[in-house]
Amino acid sequence: MTGTRRLYYEDQYMKEFDATVIDAWHNDDKTCVVLDQTCFYPGGGGQPCDTGILEGDGWHLVVERAYLDGDKIMHEGVLEGRMPEKGDKVHGAIDWDRRYRLMRMHTAAHIIGCVVKKLFNARFAGGAIGVDYSYDDYTARIKRDDLPRIEEEANKIVEAGLRHIVRIMDRDEAEKYLEKFGERLTELHEGLERIRILEIEGLCAFPCGGTHVANTREVGRIKLLKRESKGRGITRIRYTIEP
Ligand SMILES: [Zn+2]
């Protein structure tokens, strides 16, 4: 059996898709369905998974969680109707309002990362994207007084309407490419032969496996909420987007 084709990498804006069931089973009171292709993002890189619905002939699954298992994407949720079977044709739809907000929020993370890099020469050191609020950690001592300047610079990038470009390249090429932006691959990218890079047109580039908007203007206004020192020279910045 081959893995699940990841439609969210082919088109980050895909909301609905058709697919075929390759496996299905019950897991306590939940049902798990594996498809040959899907646009459900399985979570990862700090971005939560998609939710949504799968509809087959005689059944539908309210997908509460999608996750990666090896090279397959699991759709887990509450089943109504008969048990899905291998070969069943399926129409799937993700909760687009949720996903689009996560895409905007994730892009905001890259924009803030870009500004923090420029102002503090700091690196991204982990974070979590949420629907309502997000946070990112940076390798710099950032003070409360610094937040207005970071926010202002970030919103300049939003207002500039820069393209957010996806580039997929071989490891060697990716390393050279990232070097131009003062970035490098880390242990997170170990073992990957092909690297996906997100570039804010000419400004910054980060290796990333999440979903993002194609233009910085789509993010909306970035609002920095607070900063916290996490020790060892790491600062956490909490933020949201408006509306
Ligand atoms: Zn990203």
Side-chain angles (χ1 to χ4, degrees):
M1 202 190 290
T2 56
T4 305
R5 183 172 157 191
R6 304 178 192 193
L7 299 173
Y8 52 86
Y9 279 157
E10 293 173 31
D11 177 2
Q12 298 179 107
Y13 288 81
M14 194 184 290
K15 306 168 182 71
E16 298 189 28
F17 62 101
D18 292 306
T20 303
V21 173
I22 55 177
D23 206 357
W25 63 89
H26 282 306
N27 197 354
D28 296 324
D29 55 342
K30 303 289 181 195
T31 302
C32 208
V33 175
V34 187
L35 303 173
D36 62 339
Q37 55 180 7
T38 188
C39 68
F40 278 77
Y41 182 68
Q47 182 182 331
C49 69
D50 289 327
T51 57
I53 194 153
L54 299 181
E55 285 184 83
D57 187 12
W59 62 270
H60 74 260
L61 185 78
V62 178
V63 180
E64 296 170 336
R65 186 165 83 105
Y67 60 95
L68 199 61
D69 184 3
D71 57 358
K72 297 185 190 70
I73 293 172
M74 311 286 140
H75 305 76
E76 186 188 80
V78 178
L79 180 71
E80 288 208 27
R82 71 169 174 86
M83 186 67 193
E85 285 171 20
K86 190 177 173 187
D88 279 359
K89 298 296 175 203
V90 175
H91 184 74
I94 57 171
D95 178 343
W96 179 249
D97 288 347
R98 172 186 157 87
R99 156 72 92 73
Y100 189 57
R101 193 156 163 96
L102 290 169
M103 283 165 60
R104 291 171 54 216
M105 198 70 104
H106 195 144
T107 305
H110 287 228
I111 293 171
I112 295 166
C114 197
V115 172
V116 169
K117 181 163 191 75
K118 189 178 112 188
L119 298 180
F120 301 91
N121 194 29
R123 302 182 61 83
F124 172 74
I129 310 289
V131 173
D132 297 317
Y133 305 101
S134 303
Y135 70 80
D136 285 316
D137 294 342
Y138 292 101
T139 58
R141 293 181 202 280
I142 299 167
K143 294 189 272 318
R144 190 187 163 83
D145 292 350
D146 296 321
L147 294 187
R149 189 160 55 121
I150 298 170
E151 185 177 286
E152 191 191 332
E153 292 284 323
N155 283 307
K156 274 187 200 161
I157 295 175
V158 171
E159 284 150 24
L162 301 179
R163 287 188 303 149
H164 200 202
I165 308 157
V166 182
R167 303 184 187 283
I168 295 166
M169 47 186 92
D170 290 336
R171 209 183 164 82
D172 291 353
E173 199 188 346
E175 273 170 347
K176 285 191 200 100
Y177 197 81
L178 287 168
E179 243 177 60
K180 290 194 292 185
F181 294 94
E183 288 292 327
R184 56 182 160 79
L185 296 175
T186 67
E187 61 280 2
L188 293 172
H189 314 100
E190 246 165 48
L192 294 176
E193 283 170 29
R194 302 277 288 167
I195 306 290
R196 188 166 175 269
I197 292 175
L198 267 292
E199 178 190 333
I200 298 174
E201 195 177 356
L203 276 189
C204 310
F206 303 104
C208 187
T211 62
H212 314 78
V213 292
N215 188 294
T216 58
R217 196 176 288 126
E218 290 178 61
V219 171
R221 183 158 183 84
I222 296 172
K223 192 159 175 49
L224 303 191
L225 301 170
K226 63 186 289 199
R227 47 76 66 201
E228 295 156 33
S229 173
K230 302 306 286 178
R232 306 183 321 280
I234 305 274
T235 308
R236 176 165 295 178
I237 295 181
R238 295 188 182 273
Y239 61 96
T240 189
I241 48 171
E242 294 174 338

